[in-house]
Amino acid sequence: MKTIWLVIPCYNEQEVLPETSKRLKSIMEALMKKGKISGASRIAFVNDGSKDTTWNIISQLHEENPIFVGINLAHNRGHQNALLAGLMTAKDYADAAISLDADLQDDVGAIEQFIDKFAEGKEIVYGVRSTRATDTIFKRGTAHAFYKLMKVMGADTLEDHADYRLMSKRALEGLAQFKEVNLFLRGLVPMIGYETDVVYYERQERFAGESKYPLKKMLAFAIDGITSCSVKPIRMITFLGMLLFSISVLMLIYFFAVWIYGKTVAGWTTIVVSVWGIGGLQLLALGVIGEYVGKIYMEVKQRPRYIIESILYTKETV
Ligand code: UDP
Ligand code: MG
């Protein structure tokens, strides 16, 4: 029988944890009874430096029942890093790990399907939203714009797949070999390879608490995702530069011809417009290049992606 770990990053999730833990526990216990997963399977909560009582709740859950594992990060490192910390811990204990959000937006009823696909021999199983009916129009719109932008910019991701996925031990070991600090798991996981499959599910509404991804964080996430997956933005600037240069050469020829015929060009509009145009483009180009230089800077330092303060785990079977 396979040992499955659920990995759930939590940042200020005190409102949802009591309910989340209850539901996940009953699902895991049912699966154990059916003989689909072993008694060594666990529900691992990663506390991402929460400022509320999240860690207290997790510690208490662990004390009450060894099925709950607590991983306490020393500091808030963001969703992706917290998830990685959980997955890398799970890798040492489990045959496969399923990552999901604390707010139960990822339909937990699909967990069994993930495990079935894993039993069929799939190494990575992606959870894909079938509809987005429960999201606000704004969230739906921005999310779709995000996937489109990602595609145009050359980052290969699966549409409508967030971080609800199963990864086998082998896939996790593959993931462990990616040492990058600028972590964008959705872009990395497809690069691992292996046999994959998809499970469709309905995305639910967050049942308590607030989204930890306001627009500002989402934008930063999008930019991070693109720049850590592809260098296409730089190439686009190169092409833009070539285009503008060709236009300026044509303009030069044209104005030279006009000058030969003795007609002087009137007006300063053209000059002002081109000064602003070119100035703006140069700043934009510098910004994009700076984005990559900044990424290189962070990568070169090789700082740890997360630091685990403590792990609450007991070995007994449940
Ligand atoms: N999260 C985290 N660290 C952060 C922000 C979020 O671990 O700095 C977790 C959060 O607790 C949740 C998951 O990431 O389990 C997704 O966050 P959220 O549900 O707020 O995002 P949304 O679903 O609104 O995109
Ligand atoms: Mg959510």
Side-chain angles (χ1 to χ4, degrees):
M1 236 183 297
K2 299 292 184 193
T3 301
I4 307 286
W5 273 41
L6 302 183
V7 176
I8 303 123
C10 308
Y11 177 60
N12 297 344
E13 298 285 12
Q14 60 181 14
E15 287 103 335
V16 305
L17 270 180
E19 178 65 23
T20 301
S21 55
K22 210 162 57 193
R23 280 204 232 168
L24 291 177
K25 184 165 153 272
S26 70
I27 283 177
M28 291 297 268
E29 282 170 349
L31 287 169
M32 284 177 193
K33 262 204 201 102
K34 274 194 197 172
K36 287 203 176 183
I37 60 176
S38 81
S41 300
R42 291 288 184 272
I43 302 166
F45 291 110
V46 184
N47 176 36
D48 186 16
S50 300
K51 292 179 184 70
D52 62 2
T53 60
T54 297
W55 181 243
N56 300 357
I57 298 175
I58 296 172
S59 323
Q60 208 182 333
L61 284 169
H62 170 74
E63 248 159 63
E64 285 164 13
N65 193 326
I67 196 172
F68 294 110
V69 169
I71 300 163
N72 196 19
L73 298 193
H75 191 67
N76 177 252
R77 296 292 287 120
H79 178 205
Q80 299 286 296
N81 290 302
L83 189 52
L84 185 74
L87 291 175
M88 290 302 111
T89 309
K91 166 173 73 73
D92 301 331
Y93 300 92
D95 298 311
I98 302 174
S99 50
L100 61 160
D101 286 354
D103 53 12
L104 294 186
Q105 284 192 286
D106 306 321
D107 175 23
V108 290
I111 288 177
E112 189 168 352
Q113 282 170 268
F114 280 90
I115 293 168
D116 289 343
K117 302 248 170 175
F118 174 58
E120 285 167 21
K122 305 288 190 282
E123 303 272 349
I124 301 170
V125 185
Y126 299 103
V128 173
R129 269 165 239 182
S130 45
T131 56
R132 275 183 173 269
T134 52
D135 277 354
T136 60
I137 292 178
F138 180 72
K139 179 105 193 183
R140 222 181 307 167
T142 46
H144 272 141
F146 170 66
Y147 290 116
K148 234 173 237 144
L149 188 70
M150 293 289 293
K151 201 159 265 166
V152 172
M153 292 300 180
D156 188 20
T157 54
L158 201 66
E159 188 160 343
D160 277 337
H161 159 70
D163 282 303
Y164 191 20
R165 77 175 85 78
L166 176 144
M167 294 178 77
S168 69
K169 196 189 198 81
R170 205 142 70 103
L172 289 172
E173 272 158 7
L175 180 66
Q177 289 175 43
F178 290 83
K179 301 288 183 205
E180 50 206 90
V181 178
N182 296 287
L183 199 61
F184 187 66
L185 289 169
R186 263 174 252 184
L188 281 188
V189 175
M191 290 185 204
I192 299 173
Y194 293 135
E195 210 181 328
T196 65
D197 207 337
V198 170
V199 162
Y200 292 96
Y201 71 98
E202 296 272 336
R203 175 95 163 159
Q204 319 285 319
E205 242 163 299
R206 178 180 255 279
F207 70 91
E210 269 171 18
S211 170
K212 273 80 196 169
Y213 270 105
L215 183 64
K216 205 175 129 204
K217 256 198 191 171
M218 238 163 40
L219 261 174
F221 189 57
I223 293 177
D224 258 5
I226 291 161
T227 48
S228 65
C229 286
S230 111
V231 288
K232 209 163 167 187
I234 292 191
R235 186 149 318 144
M236 284 163 81
I237 286 176
T238 313
F239 283 122
L240 190 68
M242 285 198 274
L243 182 76
L244 287 182
F245 182 69
S246 327
I247 292 176
S248 72
V249 169
L250 289 178
M251 270 173 22
L252 196 71
I253 295 169
Y254 170 74
F255 288 132
F256 189 66
V258 169
W259 177 73
I260 284 178
Y261 287 109
K263 286 185 218 149
T264 36
V265 188
W268 54 276
T269 330
T270 34
I271 296 171
V272 171
V273 168
S274 40
V275 165
W276 279 83
I278 299 293
L281 277 175
Q282 278 176 338
L283 280 184
L284 175 80
L286 276 179
V288 174
I289 293 163
E291 197 64 45
Y292 283 95
V293 174
K295 284 245 144 68
I296 296 167
Y297 177 63
M298 294 314 290
E299 294 294 347
V300 162
K301 284 184 193 246
Q302 292 196 313
R303 285 183 183 158
R305 293 178 282 184
Y306 53 83
I307 290 173
I308 294 178
E309 195 176 294
S310 56
I311 297 181
L312 299 178
Y313 171 79
T314 33
K315 208 175 155 208
E316 65 193 275
T317 50
V318 203

